[in-house]
Amino acid sequence: MEQFFRLKEMNTTVRTEVVAGITTFLTMVYIVIVNPAILSSAGVPFEQVFMATIIAAVVGTLYMAFFANYPIAIAPGMGMNAYFASVVATQGVSYQVVFGTVFLSGLIFILLSFTKLRETLIESIPSALKYGITSGIGLFIAFIGLKMTGIVVPNPATMVAFGDLHEPVTLLSLTGLFITLILMARKLNGALFIGMVITAIIGLFTGFLKFEGIVSAPPVPVVFDLDLAGVFTHGLYTVVFAFLLVTIFDTTGTMIGVAEQAGLMKGNHFPRAKSALMADAVASTVGASLGTSPTSAYIESSAGVAAGGRTGLTSVVVAVLFIISMFFSPAISAISSLPAITGPVLIIVGCFMMEGLTRIDWKTFDEAFPAFVIMLSMPLTSSIATGIAIGFVTYPLMKLVSGKGREVHPILYFFGILFAIQMAFFPAH
């Protein structure tokens, strides 16, 4: 094992890697609760999402461990699960059709991993759009968290308004949010997970959380519960592209960030990048075939790196702990059904995703406005795809009229025209 993962060469030990793996797992295990909570709201059976979430995480993380030898964990990504639910709600299609879009985007991601097109796509899209997309998703999922918990409520006059603090679940949600924020401020490893546990304990003593069991045999996975034909029947090409684009940006950025933190980058070169990206692509495809939204590399992996993780052995430990969590589906089902436990996580993760705003040149209007309009449109239209489309139309147009048209890559003009036609003649309803 030491030779396979090159522990001595990476100046680490088995004990250090195990501790790092446990640390990473504790910081990201919330996804096992939050993902089923979000996707079950779109009609997907809880047990199906629960097993698909864990299996996708195990497949992607083990692939990362054995083929790329990185301490980076893979699991269904936050933001994409919320977008999945919104597509089911707004497009009038079944969740099986949306799983078809996830499966297709995963296959395209796998194919792109064998070509230079992936690098070309990443390099051609300007930072303003990349960071605008990530930040827009952050606002989108934070807004969903606020709605779930009743902190904001519908209002005919103003669209939304502040919720009623006399509502017990809203009060419990705010309590859980502030507890978790305190833990985050104290930089406690696993703060999100520990905050959920404390909130669950409060919910248990106040009667809002009821357990019908703690441990049971893992639910039987449902295989290929997806509808590929429906993707083409309903013309959900923009949705496929949205899943693909966000997954590529999110995964690539996270992997490079964690690799830099661990000192694994060789200058600007990301060693074994193809294998690392393939881990995410394979996990997304497997996850879609079983019943979950696209996967992504988890920035929480940085907690494990901070604890000393440097090799794929850290990822193996994470995968083993995910497998163990399969046996706790009754407890996780009860916890995920209480919005006060899962909602605060969405709000805080939304904040994490705003980090890229500092990298946008806000003093240059033709850079700033496309990013701004992406962030504005995603939560207000409840559609990540719409936000991406508006950004891709606005950016090249503004550069063109500013006399900076040559700064824009031809791919952006192509997608800008494509999205303009789609929004004008084939709008999503």
Side-chain angles (χ1 to χ4, degrees), residues 37 53 55 65 73 86 105 162 183 205 222 233 241 298 311 394-395 411:
T53 299
I55 293 171
S86 73
S105 70
F162 192 60
L183 296 174
F205 281 105
V222 179
T233 303
F241 184 73
Y298 261 59
T311 74
T394 309
Y395 187 88
I411 287 179

Side-chain angles (χ1 to χ4, degrees), residues 28 36 49 66 84 151 156 164-165 186 217 219 225 231-232 284 287 302 345 383 409 427:
M28 65 180 289
V49 185
F66 292 116
F84 182 101
I151 296 173
D164 183 1
L165 295 186
R186 300 299 301 172
D225 186 22
V231 178
F232 301 99
S284 282
S302 61
V345 175
S383 173
H409 196 285

Side-chain angles (χ1 to χ4, degrees), residues 47-383:
E47 291 80 8
Q48 182 176 346
V49 185
F50 174 74
M51 287 302 291
T53 299
I54 292 173
I55 293 171
V58 170
V59 169
T61 304
L62 287 179
Y63 194 106
M64 180 71 71
F66 292 116
F67 292 95
N69 195 25
Y70 281 128
I72 300 174
I74 303 287
M78 292 297 298
M80 288 292 92
N81 46 16
Y83 176 50
F84 182 101
S86 73
V87 172
V88 174
T90 60
Q91 300 281 334
V93 296
S94 68
Y95 68 79
Q96 289 91 342
V97 172
V98 188
F99 279 139
T101 65
V102 178
F103 187 80
L104 284 176
S105 70
L107 286 180
I108 295 169
F109 196 0
I110 290 174
L111 293 174
L112 288 179
S113 296
F114 290 110
T115 70
K116 295 265 187 183
L117 188 58
R118 175 178 51 80
E119 285 88 350
T120 304
L121 188 62
I122 292 171
E123 291 168 3
S124 67
I125 297 175
S127 297
L129 294 187
K130 291 177 186 175
Y131 298 129
I133 290 168
T134 304
S135 301
I137 294 171
L139 288 176
F140 180 40
I141 66 173
F143 184 52
I144 288 173
L146 291 169
K147 288 196 297 182
M148 281 174 58
T149 55
I151 296 173
V152 298
V153 294
N155 184 299
T158 60
M159 292 180 65
V160 292
F162 192 60
D164 183 1
L165 295 186
H166 293 95
E167 285 290 330
V169 173
T170 304
L171 194 59
L172 179 59
S173 300
L174 285 170
T175 302
L177 177 61
F178 283 116
I179 288 171
T180 310
L181 288 174
I182 291 168
L183 296 174
M184 295 292 299
R186 300 299 301 172
K187 298 182 180 179
L188 187 68
N189 280 333
L192 287 175
F193 179 68
I194 295 169
M196 292 174 74
V197 170
I198 295 172
T199 310
I201 291 170
I202 297 171
L204 189 63
F205 281 105
T206 53
F208 292 105
L209 180 62
K210 294 180 174 65
F211 289 107
E212 296 181 3
I214 302 295
V215 180
S216 73
V220 178
V222 179
V223 183
F224 281 102
D225 186 22
L226 49 82
D227 182 0
L228 288 175
V231 178
F232 301 99
T233 303
H234 295 280
L236 299 179
Y237 310 113
T238 309
V239 177
V240 174
F241 184 73
F243 279 135
L244 175 65
L245 200 62
V246 175
T247 303
I248 288 175
F249 291 157
D250 191 30
T251 295
T252 306
T254 299
M255 286 182 183
I256 290 173
V258 174
E260 282 180 346
Q261 180 193 358
L264 302 174
M265 293 287 288
K266 307 293 183 185
N268 290 326
H269 178 58
F270 182 34
R272 304 182 299 283
K274 191 170 289 186
S275 297
L277 288 162
M278 187 65 77
D280 186 35
V282 170
S284 282
T285 309
V286 170
S289 67
L290 295 171
T292 188
S293 47
T295 60
S296 176
Y298 261 59
I299 194 61
E300 285 83 352
S301 302
S302 61
V305 169
R310 292 295 180 272
T311 74
L313 183 55
T314 294
S315 299
V316 171
V317 174
V318 174
V320 169
L321 291 172
F322 268 116
I323 292 171
I324 293 171
S325 70
M326 285 183 182
F327 296 90
F328 293 89
S329 62
I332 291 172
S333 176
I335 290 170
S336 67
S337 65
L338 183 59
I341 299 173
T342 53
V345 175
L346 296 181
I347 297 167
I348 293 170
V349 171
C351 174
F352 291 161
M353 299 181 76
M354 306 301 289
E355 181 186 0
L357 289 180
T358 58
R359 304 180 190 180
I360 296 172
D361 183 3
W362 292 104
K363 293 182 180 179
T364 305
F365 190 70
D366 53 21
E367 290 281 326
F369 186 78
F372 166 74
V373 79
I374 289 172
M375 291 186 291
L376 187 68
S377 58
M378 282 186 184
L380 293 182
T381 64
S382 295
S383 173

